[in-house]
Amino acid sequence: MPYTRGGTVDRSDVGALVQSAVDGDTAAWKALVEGLSPLVWSVVRAHRLSEADGHEVYQTVWFRFAQHLGRIREPDKAGSWLASTARNECLKVIKGLRRLTPTDDPLLLDRVSEDRTPEQSVLDSEEAAAQSERVRHLWQEFEALGERCRQLLRVLISSPPPSYQEVSAALGIAVGSIGPMRQRCLRRLRSRLDARGAL
């Protein structure tokens, strides 16, 4: 298995690369190893293993990944799988070495790390990507609404929010019609998003 500390892989390509690797594509396997190795190394470094132990964990993680390649339920989240496996392997090594230093320092015992774990960073990154996709779908469906709905909703979401009198003056809509029209527009938008599976 190649040793590498560098490389990049586009998150949107990971699922396809995993599937290609399952099908025996060695270039896809190489792209996965090169692109996701920095993540594995970041987990190893976060656990402060020795160089030798770090190399051992790195090799073990990729070996386990190869073993489970065809059984990973969400191939597009292979990064999360690798980060979690690396963490578990690091903890096994630490437990095996019994590297515990007794202390009675209450400040040290009560300290909570504010650093994000590599796993949490990956999960946050994937959640941010999913949120970005939901926002993109929202704006696509918003643009597909009629011009009148788009005008009304744009004015209503401005900051600070305008009064209905200001909306009426801006768009030439009777004050009493603004609320019902807003509800119809939002229902239409919600229905479009629901049909698309974006809710």
Side-chain angles (χ1 to χ4, degrees):
M1 194 164 302
Y3 165 77
T4 176
R5 283 181 186 263
T8 59
V9 66
D10 191 316
R11 184 186 301 107
S12 62
D13 295 337
V14 170
L17 286 171
V18 169
Q19 190 53 56
S20 295
V22 168
D23 295 338
D25 184 344
T26 55
W29 174 258
K30 185 175 183 217
L32 284 168
V33 173
E34 289 178 355
L36 295 174
S37 281
L39 170 65
V40 176
W41 279 115
S42 71
V43 176
V44 172
R45 283 192 299 272
H47 287 84
R48 299 182 181 182
L49 299 181
S50 70
E51 191 72 14
D53 289 338
H55 281 278
E56 185 66 31
V57 166
Y58 174 84
Q59 294 291 339
T60 302
V61 168
W62 284 107
F63 177 71
R64 297 220 188 291
F65 186 65
Q67 281 183 314
H68 293 89
L69 196 58
R71 291 175 285 176
I72 294 176
R73 277 183 243 143
E74 297 179 273
D76 55 321
K77 294 185 179 175
S80 297
W81 192 98
L82 285 164
S84 179
T85 303
R87 178 179 180 275
N88 291 337
E89 291 301 321
C90 287
L91 293 177
K92 279 184 199 174
V93 169
I94 291 169
K95 185 176 179 184
L97 296 173
R98 301 277 189 235
R99 291 183 181 162
L100 298 177
T101 306
T103 182
D104 58 359
D105 181 351
L107 294 176
L108 186 60
L109 293 173
D110 291 341
R111 192 183 74 180
V112 176
S113 173
E114 294 179 9
D115 294 338
R116 306 206 49 74
T117 64
E119 302 94 328
Q120 190 59 50
S121 295
V122 169
L123 294 174
D124 289 349
S125 173
E126 289 175 350
E127 179 56 35
Q131 176 65 17
S132 175
E133 187 71 4
R134 285 191 293 269
V135 169
R136 190 173 65 78
H137 288 158
L138 170 66
W139 283 113
Q140 285 174 342
E141 295 306 332
F142 178 86
E143 289 302 322
L145 292 174
E147 179 64 20
R148 203 69 171 143
C149 276
R150 291 198 308 268
Q151 285 179 337
L152 177 64
L153 294 177
R154 277 194 180 107
V155 169
L156 288 172
I157 64 171
S158 60
S159 181
S163 68
Y164 273 19
Q165 287 76 19
E166 292 168 324
V167 174
S168 175
L171 300 178
I173 302 171
V175 170
S177 299
I178 294 172
M181 185 175 171
R182 173 182 169 272
Q183 287 178 342
R184 282 193 304 275
C185 292
L186 289 174
R187 259 199 309 270
R188 196 172 306 144
L189 179 60
R190 189 174 293 116
S191 173
R192 293 183 67 89
L193 289 167
D194 194 32
R196 186 173 186 156
L199 282 181

